[in-house]
Amino acid sequence: MEKFVDEKKIERIIRQHADMIYRIAFQNVKSKADAEDIFQDVCLSLITGNAPIDDALHIRNWLIRVTINKCNNFHKSFWNRNSEPLTETLEYFPPEQQELLSEIWKLPKNYRNIIYLYYYEGYKIAEIAELMNLNPNTVSSSLNRARRRLKIILTEGGFNYG
């Protein structure tokens, strides 16, 4: 039996969350082209999957979870493990964020996601734990470790961000 897809609702959801999906993908894979591919995969999952498109409260969380999962799959892929990454710029982000994001990239991937969701998307620790299927205490300790590492990176690098 064919599934009915509400194209207007899907289009509205994609327009509303496109920047967030792309930013999460880009900060995970560090490549504009790969982030665009992941963005397209997320959109396909939205159209063909069991996304909660009628639930405005859950669709954002669903999109974040799917985007992070697609990024994790990308990192595990044969292609990614056997290719040389291109040097990317951060032109997609505002100039005041570009330097800080390049420093955040020096953190391990799991710390980057937590930092990004906490500071850029405004999620609380409990919400991040639910999104990433982690214990809230794990998210809290990872956030604290990420902050400490980022502070070391920023102070040793000579940057002063306050």
Side-chain angles (χ1 to χ4, degrees):
M1 187 165 182
E2 193 172 316
K3 179 183 168 186
F4 173 73
V5 176
D6 186 343
E7 291 178 16
K8 290 191 184 289
K9 193 175 285 189
I10 297 285
E11 184 178 342
R12 182 185 49 76
I13 290 169
I14 291 171
R15 287 184 190 278
Q16 182 179 0
H17 299 288
D19 285 344
M20 177 195 68
I21 296 166
Y22 181 81
R23 285 192 310 261
I24 291 170
F26 187 76
Q27 69 93 21
N28 267 278
V29 298
K30 302 179 187 178
S31 162
K32 184 178 178 181
D34 293 332
E36 289 170 353
D37 288 345
I38 288 170
F39 176 83
Q40 288 180 2
D41 285 348
V42 171
C43 291
L44 267 172
S45 294
L46 180 65
I47 293 167
T48 61
N50 293 322
I53 63 172
D54 294 321
D55 188 346
L57 294 175
H58 291 99
I59 190 65
R60 185 171 193 246
N61 292 352
W62 185 90
L63 289 167
I64 290 171
R65 196 172 317 124
V66 169
T67 304
I68 290 172
N69 288 341
K70 298 280 184 193
C71 292
N72 290 339
N73 292 342
F74 169 81
H75 288 296
K76 294 177 198 173
S77 72
F78 176 82
W79 169 257
N80 182 56
R81 288 180 309 190
N82 294 295
S83 62
E84 193 67 32
L86 296 173
T87 303
E88 289 288 337
T89 63
L90 293 165
E91 63 198 30
Y92 182 76
F93 294 91
E96 63 275 5
Q97 292 180 6
Q98 291 177 8
E99 198 167 352
L100 181 58
L101 281 172
S102 68
E103 299 303 317
I104 289 173
W105 276 355
K106 294 177 183 174
L107 294 171
K109 182 174 57 87
N110 59 325
Y111 289 172
R112 286 195 315 261
N113 282 327
I114 290 171
I115 288 279
Y116 181 82
L117 291 172
Y118 188 81
Y119 287 107
Y120 287 84
E121 296 299 331
Y123 279 90
K124 294 179 173 40
I125 289 172
E127 295 169 323
I128 296 169
E130 184 180 326
L131 281 171
M132 298 181 74
N133 294 322
L134 297 171
N135 183 305
N137 292 332
T138 303
V139 172
S140 180
S141 62
S142 293
L143 182 60
N144 286 327
R145 286 186 192 119
R147 287 175 180 148
R148 283 195 299 271
R149 282 194 184 186
L150 190 57
K151 182 178 180 182
I152 290 168
I153 290 169
L154 294 174
T155 56
E156 286 181 358
F159 299 105
N160 184 7
Y161 290 101

